[in-house]
Amino acid sequence: MLTVLIRIPAAVPVEEGLCCVFRGQPVKLQYQMQRQRRPTSHRVGLSNRQLDTLSNYYSPARQYIEIVRQDDPLRPRYGIALGFEFHDSITTFPYSPSRARLQFKDFAWGGVEFSQRDSFNFTGVTNDVSDDLTVRVDAFYGDTMVGRFSGLLLSGAGPMAQIDSGYFRVMLYRRE
């Protein structure tokens, strides 16, 4: 009997999700968005299936990927939305998109997102004007994408915060 051992480098995420170090603290976000089941509620909104798709999708038409993860599926404290450009024609990795954005959200904060009074929700972008964020896609196989990110994030109130050692491994839904 032949046993084959495959060694995965420590930097490559083995489990599904998104992890990083934010303000010196490790943050592990494994859950997609979900809504609570309320049998007596007549609210119309997105279903869990629709929220699951919105949490990790690739749009070939828009050439764009969006990944949303949070620390709890129903009552999150922290969440990250990461979006960047990506093309089907890319076959060489690592790939670094020229446009990307990342939003870090503390759901315990009860104010308006990214307002002047906001002191904990942060955002970072990379585009023609700003280069605050680095995103690198290490692999894309089947519908699974593996990559890394880091950067300097800004809040609406002005303070900055470093996000380091970020990595993700997610299964993407194709959506037109």
Side-chain angles (χ1 to χ4, degrees):
M1 183 168 154
L2 179 64
T3 303
V4 178
L5 298 176
I6 299 173
R7 176 171 243 178
I8 299 173
V12 176
V14 176
E15 50 188 304
E16 174 87 8
L18 186 147
C19 295
C20 64
V21 175
F22 183 74
R23 289 187 161 178
Q25 298 295 315
V27 178
K28 187 174 184 178
L29 308 170
Q30 294 181 284
Y31 301 99
Q32 294 95 333
M33 296 179 285
Q34 287 187 12
R35 61 183 278 196
Q36 291 183 339
R37 295 178 193 256
R38 294 188 176 134
T40 58
S41 176
H42 297 289
R43 285 182 34 200
V44 176
L46 297 175
S47 68
N48 280 339
R49 186 178 190 163
Q50 291 167 316
L51 288 172
D52 183 44
T53 301
L54 288 175
S55 292
N56 35 278
Y57 76 88
Y58 168 49
S59 172
R62 290 182 48 217
Q63 299 179 340
Y64 190 74
I65 288 177
E66 177 130 321
I67 302 165
V68 178
R69 288 294 183 274
Q70 49 198 36
D71 60 352
D72 187 273
L74 299 174
R75 297 179 191 270
R77 170 70 195 266
Y78 300 115
I80 289 181
L82 173 64
F84 53 91
E85 66 176 339
F86 188 79
H87 313 277
D88 268 341
S89 61
I90 296 168
T91 57
T92 306
F93 297 96
Y95 164 73
S96 296
S98 59
R99 289 182 303 117
R101 69 169 179 78
L102 185 142
Q103 295 175 329
F104 187 97
K105 172 75 174 145
D106 179 353
F107 292 100
W109 187 81
V112 179
E113 274 188 63
F114 307 109
S115 74
Q116 289 296 329
R117 297 173 301 169
D118 184 351
S119 61
F120 197 83
N121 300 315
F122 290 84
T123 188
V125 296
T126 292
N127 55 27
D128 297 335
V129 177
S130 183
D131 196 18
D132 302 331
L133 186 64
T134 300
V135 176
R136 187 176 89 188
V137 177
D138 293 325
F140 186 41
Y141 51 93
D143 282 337
T144 301
M145 183 168 278
V146 177
R148 304 161 199 243
F149 61 92
S150 63
L152 184 64
L153 306 180
L154 304 170
S155 76
M160 296 181 275
Q162 193 75 25
I163 191 162
D164 290 313
S165 307
Y167 66 85
F168 58 89
R169 179 175 179 263
V170 295
M171 191 277 297
L172 298 170
Y173 293 107
R174 291 180 186 264
R175 188 182 95 175
E176 293 304 318

